Amino acid sequence: MRVLTVNTGRPVAVPYTDSPGGVTGIGKRPADGPVQVTDPGPEGAGGSGLAGDAVCDLRFHGGSNQAVYAFAREELDRWERELGRPLPNGGFGENLTTGGVDVSGALIGERWRIGPDLVLEITSGRIPCRTFAGHLDERQWVRRYTRAAAPGAYLRVITPGAIRSGDPVEIVHRPDHDVTVELQFRAVTTRQELLPLLLPAGEALHPEPLRRAREYAARQR
């Protein structure tokens, strides 16, 4: 298991985003050297956890619980076959393009060590948005991506550190529950009846789906 590339993006003006200023950093490219990763700070104020990486819409992106976004190269390859077009590493706006890692099958709260120091913790799956759809320019992209339910994972920074393309990924902690990224994604998108199943993940879960799961479970009593 390893990071194939570490990807960062700069702000670019595009016609398909509703972010303030009309710019996005979703178009990411592999970095040439090491990239420092730190906790960017709270939602609404902190951006990306990666130095040199732009998060342009702080209303919905960035912050401690979405500091890093990982997506599996194997899933990019599957989408390449379905879409009939090449998808480079970083093509889905991911910071880490992984190889040999079941990203969407990982557990909420699972921790990865990447390189000598960096430790990350999985918080949630990525919810597709208008900017992502415009970036891919594929018909009904949000619906298709949601149906696939392999969203990749957002991670928070537990221990900061520098990483580079090719670094190994080591799972250093697996929590004692079965709440996967895929389950969390399905629960918050197409199958709300699954929301109570997210509760065993506790505070490791991104605060927003945790709030929704608790409220849904309370209504069922």
Side-chain angles (χ1 to χ4, degrees):
M1 300 188 297
R2 63 193 180 104
V3 171
L4 300 179
T5 55
V6 180
N7 314 303
T8 60
R10 303 307 304 161
V12 176
V14 296
Y16 50 75
T17 185
D18 58 1
S19 69
V23 296
T24 178
I26 196 172
K28 302 193 188 301
R29 300 290 184 270
D32 293 331
V35 177
Q36 187 69 30
V37 184
T38 58
D39 180 359
E43 276 75 4
S48 173
L50 281 75
D53 182 48
V55 170
C56 300
D57 193 345
L58 298 181
R59 298 173 301 171
F60 308 115
H61 302 290
S64 296
N65 295 297
Q66 298 179 164
V68 179
Y69 175 51
F71 198 78
R73 181 64 242 185
E74 292 82 356
E75 286 298 322
L76 284 173
D77 292 342
R78 188 182 69 78
W79 280 113
E80 278 193 342
R81 294 189 294 271
E82 179 167 331
L83 301 179
R85 55 186 271 200
L87 294 170
N89 290 355
F92 274 21
E94 76 273 14
N95 298 119
L96 309 179
T97 309
T98 64
V101 183
D102 184 6
V103 179
S104 296
L107 299 174
I108 301 297
E110 184 172 300
R111 292 186 177 185
W112 300 349
R113 175 176 286 115
I114 303 175
D117 301 311
L118 180 67
V119 178
L120 303 175
E121 181 178 80
I122 292 175
T123 67
S124 63
R126 181 252 200 95
I127 305 299
C129 64
R130 173 184 172 184
T131 300
F132 187 27
H135 176 65
L136 266 293
D137 193 25
E138 293 284 346
R139 293 185 59 203
Q140 298 185 327
W141 177 247
V142 169
R143 179 179 297 179
R144 294 165 72 182
Y145 185 85
T146 301
R147 186 170 60 240
Y154 283 121
L155 303 101
R156 62 172 63 95
V157 179
I158 302 300
T159 305
I163 57 173
R164 64 177 69 222
S165 300
D167 274 348
V169 176
E170 177 189 4
I171 299 174
V172 295
H173 171 69
R174 284 180 63 84
D176 187 22
H177 61 67
D178 58 0
V179 184
T180 64
V181 172
E182 178 184 351
L183 174 62
Q184 180 270 326
F185 180 80
R186 290 187 186 279
V188 300
T189 55
T190 60
R191 298 193 54 194
Q192 69 171 357
E193 72 275 12
L194 299 177
L195 281 167
L197 299 181
L198 306 185
L199 293 175
E203 299 297 328
L205 185 61
H206 188 293
E208 179 57 24
L210 179 59
R211 178 191 63 79
R212 291 181 58 183
R214 285 172 171 168
E215 290 179 354
Y216 185 90
R219 292 196 299 270
Q220 306 312 305
R221 294 174 186 157

Coordinates of all heavy atoms in Angstrom, one line a residue, residues 2-9 25-31 53 69-78 80 85-100 126 132 135-136 164-166:
R2 N 0.6 2.2 -0.9 CA 1.4 3.3 -0.9 C 0.7 4.5 -1.6 O -0.4 4.3 -2.2 CB 2.7 3.1 -1.7 CG 2.5 2.7 -3.2 CD 3.8 2.2 -3.8 NE 3.6 1.9 -5.2 CZ 4.1 2.6 -6.2 NH1 4.7 3.7 -6.0 NH2 3.9 2.2 -7.5
V3 N 1.3 5.7 -1.4 CA 0.8 6.9 -2.1 C 1.5 7.0 -3.4 O 2.7 7.1 -3.4 CB 1.1 8.1 -1.2 CG1 0.8 9.4 -2.0 CG2 0.3 8.1 0.1
L4 N 0.7 6.9 -4.5 CA 1.4 7.0 -5.8 C 1.8 8.4 -6.1 O 2.9 8.6 -6.5 CB 0.4 6.5 -6.9 CG -0.1 5.1 -6.7 CD1 -1.1 4.8 -7.8 CD2 1.0 4.1 -6.8
T5 N 0.9 9.4 -5.8 CA 1.3 10.8 -5.9 C 0.6 11.6 -4.8 O -0.4 11.3 -4.3 CB 0.9 11.4 -7.3 OG1 -0.5 11.2 -7.5 CG2 1.7 10.7 -8.4
V6 N 1.3 12.7 -4.5 CA 0.8 13.7 -3.6 C 0.4 14.9 -4.5 O 1.3 15.4 -5.2 CB 1.8 14.1 -2.5 CG1 1.2 15.2 -1.6 CG2 2.3 12.9 -1.7
N7 N -0.9 15.3 -4.4 CA -1.3 16.3 -5.4 C -1.8 17.6 -4.8 O -2.5 17.6 -3.7 CB -2.5 15.7 -6.2 CG -2.2 14.2 -6.7 OD1 -1.3 14.0 -7.4 ND2 -3.1 13.3 -6.3
T8 N -1.5 18.7 -5.4 CA -1.9 20.0 -4.9 C -2.4 20.8 -6.1 O -2.1 20.5 -7.2 CB -0.8 20.8 -4.2 OG1 0.3 21.0 -5.2 CG2 -0.2 20.0 -3.0
G9 N -3.2 21.8 -5.8 CA -3.8 22.7 -6.8 C -3.8 24.1 -6.5 O -3.7 24.5 -5.3
G25 N -9.8 25.2 -6.7 CA -8.5 24.5 -6.7 C -8.6 23.0 -6.9 O -7.7 22.2 -6.6
I26 N -9.7 22.6 -7.6 CA -10.0 21.1 -7.8 C -9.0 20.5 -8.8 O -8.7 19.3 -8.7 CB -11.4 20.9 -8.2 CG1 -11.8 19.4 -8.0 CG2 -11.7 21.4 -9.6 CD1 -13.3 19.1 -8.2
G27 N -8.5 21.3 -9.7 CA -7.5 20.7 -10.7 C -6.2 20.5 -10.1 O -5.3 21.5 -10.1
K28 N -5.9 19.4 -9.5 CA -4.6 19.1 -8.8 C -3.6 18.4 -9.6 O -4.0 17.6 -10.5 CB -4.9 18.4 -7.5 CG -5.9 19.2 -6.6 CD -6.0 18.7 -5.2 CE -7.1 19.4 -4.4 NZ -6.9 20.8 -4.4
R29 N -2.4 18.6 -9.4 CA -1.3 17.9 -10.1 C -0.3 17.4 -9.1 O -0.1 17.9 -8.0 CB -0.6 18.9 -11.0 CG -1.4 19.6 -12.1 CD -1.9 18.6 -13.1 NE -2.6 19.2 -14.2 CZ -4.0 19.3 -14.2 NH1 -4.6 18.8 -13.1 NH2 -4.6 19.8 -15.2
P30 N 0.4 16.3 -9.5 CA 1.4 15.7 -8.6 C 2.5 16.7 -8.2 O 3.0 17.4 -9.1 CB 1.9 14.5 -9.3 CG 0.8 14.1 -10.3 CD 0.2 15.4 -10.7
A31 N 2.9 16.8 -6.9 CA 4.0 17.6 -6.5 C 5.3 17.0 -6.8 O 5.4 15.8 -6.8 CB 3.8 17.9 -5.0
D53 N -1.6 23.9 -1.3 CA -2.8 23.4 -1.9 C -4.0 24.4 -1.6 O -4.1 24.8 -0.5 CB -3.2 22.0 -1.4 CG -4.4 21.5 -2.0 OD1 -4.5 21.5 -3.3 OD2 -5.3 21.0 -1.3
Y69 N -7.8 14.7 1.2 CA -8.7 13.9 0.5 C -7.9 12.8 -0.3 O -7.0 13.1 -1.0 CB -9.6 14.7 -0.5 CG -10.5 13.9 -1.3 CD1 -11.3 12.9 -0.8 CD2 -10.5 14.0 -2.7 CE1 -12.1 12.1 -1.6 CE2 -11.3 13.3 -3.5 CZ -12.1 12.3 -3.0 OH -13.0 11.6 -3.8
A70 N -8.3 11.5 0.0 CA -7.6 10.4 -0.7 C -8.5 9.7 -1.6 O -9.7 9.5 -1.3 CB -7.0 9.4 0.4
F71 N -8.0 9.2 -2.7 CA -8.8 8.4 -3.7 C -7.9 7.4 -4.3 O -6.7 7.6 -4.6 CB -9.4 9.4 -4.8 CG -10.5 8.8 -5.5 CD1 -11.8 8.7 -5.0 CD2 -10.4 8.2 -6.8 CE1 -12.9 8.2 -5.7 CE2 -11.4 7.7 -7.5 CZ -12.7 7.7 -6.9
A72 N -8.5 6.2 -4.5 CA -7.7 5.1 -5.0 C -7.5 5.1 -6.5 O -8.5 5.4 -7.3 CB -8.4 3.8 -4.6
R73 N -6.3 4.8 -6.9 CA -6.0 4.7 -8.3 C -6.8 3.7 -9.0 O -7.2 3.8 -10.2 CB -4.5 4.4 -8.5 CG -4.0 4.3 -10.0 CD -4.2 5.7 -10.7 NE -5.1 5.6 -11.8 CZ -5.3 6.6 -12.7 NH1 -4.7 7.7 -12.5 NH2 -6.2 6.4 -13.7
E74 N -7.1 2.6 -8.3 CA -8.0 1.5 -8.8 C -9.4 2.0 -9.2 O -9.9 1.6 -10.2 CB -8.1 0.4 -7.8 CG -6.8 -0.4 -7.6 CD -5.9 0.3 -6.6 OE1 -6.2 1.4 -6.1 OE2 -4.8 -0.3 -6.2
E75 N -9.9 3.0 -8.4 CA -11.2 3.6 -8.7 C -11.1 4.5 -9.9 O -12.0 4.6 -10.8 CB -11.8 4.3 -7.5 CG -12.3 3.3 -6.5 CD -13.5 2.5 -7.0 OE1 -14.3 2.9 -7.8 OE2 -13.5 1.3 -6.6
L76 N -10.0 5.3 -10.0 CA -9.8 6.1 -11.2 C -9.7 5.2 -12.4 O -10.3 5.6 -13.5 CB -8.5 6.9 -11.0 CG -8.5 8.1 -10.1 CD1 -7.1 8.7 -9.9 CD2 -9.5 9.2 -10.6
D77 N -9.0 4.1 -12.3 CA -8.9 3.2 -13.5 C -10.3 2.7 -13.9 O -10.6 2.6 -15.1 CB -8.0 2.0 -13.2 CG -6.6 2.4 -13.0 OD1 -6.2 3.5 -13.5 OD2 -5.8 1.6 -12.4
R78 N -11.2 2.4 -12.9 CA -12.5 1.9 -13.2 C -13.3 3.0 -13.9 O -14.0 2.8 -14.9 CB -13.2 1.5 -11.9 CG -14.6 0.8 -12.2 CD -15.3 0.5 -10.9 NE -15.7 1.7 -10.2 CZ -16.8 2.4 -10.5 NH1 -17.6 2.0 -11.5 NH2 -17.2 3.4 -9.8
E80 N -12.0 5.4 -15.7 CA -11.4 5.6 -17.0 C -12.1 4.6 -18.0 O -12.5 5.0 -19.1 CB -9.9 5.3 -17.0 CG -9.1 6.4 -16.5 CD -7.6 6.1 -16.8 OE1 -7.2 4.9 -17.0 OE2 -6.8 7.1 -16.8
R85 N -12.0 7.8 -21.2 CA -11.1 8.9 -21.2 C -10.0 8.7 -20.2 O -10.3 8.1 -19.1 CB -11.8 10.2 -21.1 CG -12.6 10.3 -19.8 CD -13.5 11.5 -19.7 NE -12.7 12.6 -19.1 CZ -13.3 13.7 -18.5 NH1 -14.7 13.8 -18.6 NH2 -12.7 14.6 -18.0
P86 N -8.8 9.3 -20.3 CA -7.8 9.2 -19.3 C -8.1 10.1 -18.1 O -8.6 11.2 -18.3 CB -6.5 9.6 -20.0 CG -7.0 10.5 -21.1 CD -8.3 9.9 -21.6
L87 N -7.8 9.6 -16.9 CA -8.0 10.4 -15.7 C -6.6 10.3 -15.0 O -6.2 9.3 -14.4 CB -9.1 9.7 -14.8 CG -10.5 9.8 -15.4 CD1 -11.4 8.9 -14.5 CD2 -11.0 11.2 -15.4
P88 N -5.9 11.4 -15.0 CA -4.6 11.5 -14.3 C -4.7 11.5 -12.8 O -5.8 11.8 -12.3 CB -4.0 12.8 -14.8 CG -5.2 13.7 -15.1 CD -6.3 12.7 -15.6
N89 N -3.7 11.1 -12.1 CA -3.6 11.3 -10.7 C -3.9 12.7 -10.3 O -3.4 13.6 -10.9 CB -2.3 10.9 -10.1 CG -2.0 9.4 -10.3 OD1 -2.9 8.6 -10.7 ND2 -0.8 9.0 -9.9
G90 N -4.8 12.9 -9.4 CA -5.3 14.2 -9.0 C -6.5 14.6 -9.8 O -7.1 15.7 -9.6
G91 N -6.9 13.8 -10.7 CA -8.0 14.2 -11.6 C -9.4 14.3 -11.0 O -10.3 15.0 -11.5
F92 N -9.6 13.7 -9.8 CA -10.8 13.9 -9.1 C -10.6 14.9 -7.9 O -11.5 15.0 -7.1 CB -11.3 12.6 -8.5 CG -12.1 11.7 -9.4 CD1 -12.0 11.9 -10.8 CD2 -12.9 10.7 -8.9 CE1 -12.8 11.1 -11.6 CE2 -13.7 9.9 -9.8 CZ -13.6 10.1 -11.1
G93 N -9.5 15.7 -8.0 CA -9.3 16.7 -7.0 C -8.7 16.1 -5.7 O -8.7 16.8 -4.7
E94 N -8.2 14.9 -5.8 CA -7.7 14.2 -4.6 C -6.3 14.7 -4.3 O -5.5 14.9 -5.2 CB -7.7 12.7 -4.7 CG -6.7 12.1 -5.6 CD -7.1 12.0 -7.0 OE1 -8.0 12.6 -7.4 OE2 -6.4 11.2 -7.8
N95 N -6.0 14.8 -3.0 CA -4.6 15.1 -2.5 C -3.7 13.9 -2.6 O -2.5 14.1 -2.9 CB -4.6 15.7 -1.1 CG -5.4 16.9 -0.9 OD1 -6.4 17.0 -0.2 ND2 -5.0 18.0 -1.6
L96 N -4.2 12.7 -2.3 CA -3.5 11.5 -2.3 C -4.1 10.5 -3.2 O -5.3 10.2 -3.1 CB -3.4 10.9 -0.9 CG -3.0 11.8 0.3 CD1 -3.1 11.0 1.6 CD2 -1.6 12.4 0.1
T97 N -3.3 10.2 -4.3 CA -3.8 9.1 -5.1 C -3.0 7.8 -4.6 O -1.8 7.8 -4.6 CB -3.4 9.3 -6.6 OG1 -3.9 10.6 -7.0 CG2 -4.0 8.3 -7.5
T98 N -3.8 6.8 -4.1 CA -3.2 5.7 -3.5 C -3.2 4.5 -4.4 O -4.0 4.4 -5.4 CB -4.0 5.3 -2.2 OG1 -5.3 4.9 -2.6 CG2 -4.1 6.5 -1.3
G99 N -2.3 3.5 -4.1 CA -2.3 2.2 -4.8 C -2.3 1.1 -3.8 O -1.6 1.2 -2.8
G100 N -3.2 0.1 -4.0 CA -3.3 -1.0 -3.1 C -4.0 -0.7 -1.8 O -4.0 -1.5 -0.9
R126 N -16.4 11.6 0.5 CA -16.6 12.9 -0.2 C -17.9 13.0 -0.9 O -18.3 12.0 -1.6 CB -15.5 13.0 -1.3 CG -15.5 14.3 -2.1 CD -15.9 14.0 -3.5 NE -15.5 15.1 -4.4 CZ -14.4 15.1 -5.2 NH1 -13.7 14.0 -5.1 NH2 -14.1 16.1 -5.9
F132 N -17.3 19.8 -8.7 CA -16.8 18.5 -9.2 C -17.5 18.1 -10.5 O -16.8 17.6 -11.4 CB -17.1 17.5 -8.1 CG -16.5 16.1 -8.3 CD1 -15.3 15.9 -9.1 CD2 -17.0 15.0 -7.7 CE1 -14.8 14.7 -9.2 CE2 -16.5 13.7 -7.9 CZ -15.4 13.6 -8.6
H135 N -16.1 20.2 -13.3 CA -14.7 19.8 -13.6 C -14.6 18.6 -14.4 O -13.8 18.5 -15.4 CB -14.0 19.6 -12.2 CG -12.6 19.1 -12.3 ND1 -11.6 19.8 -12.9 CD2 -12.0 17.9 -12.0 CE1 -10.5 19.2 -12.8 NE2 -10.7 18.0 -12.3
L136 N -15.5 17.6 -14.2 CA -15.5 16.4 -15.0 C -16.2 16.5 -16.3 O -15.9 15.9 -17.3 CB -16.1 15.2 -14.2 CG -15.1 14.3 -13.4 CD1 -14.2 13.5 -14.3 CD2 -14.3 15.1 -12.4
R164 N 5.8 12.4 0.4 CA 6.1 12.6 -1.0 C 5.5 11.4 -1.7 O 5.2 10.4 -1.1 CB 7.6 12.7 -1.2 CG 8.4 11.5 -0.8 CD 9.9 11.6 -1.1 NE 10.5 12.6 -0.3 CZ 11.4 13.5 -0.7 NH1 11.7 13.6 -2.0 NH2 11.9 14.4 0.1
S165 N 5.4 11.5 -3.0 CA 5.0 10.5 -3.9 C 5.8 9.2 -3.7 O 7.1 9.3 -3.6 CB 5.1 10.9 -5.4 OG 4.3 12.0 -5.6
G166 N 5.2 8.1 -3.6 CA 5.8 6.8 -3.3 C 5.9 6.4 -1.9 O 6.3 5.2 -1.6

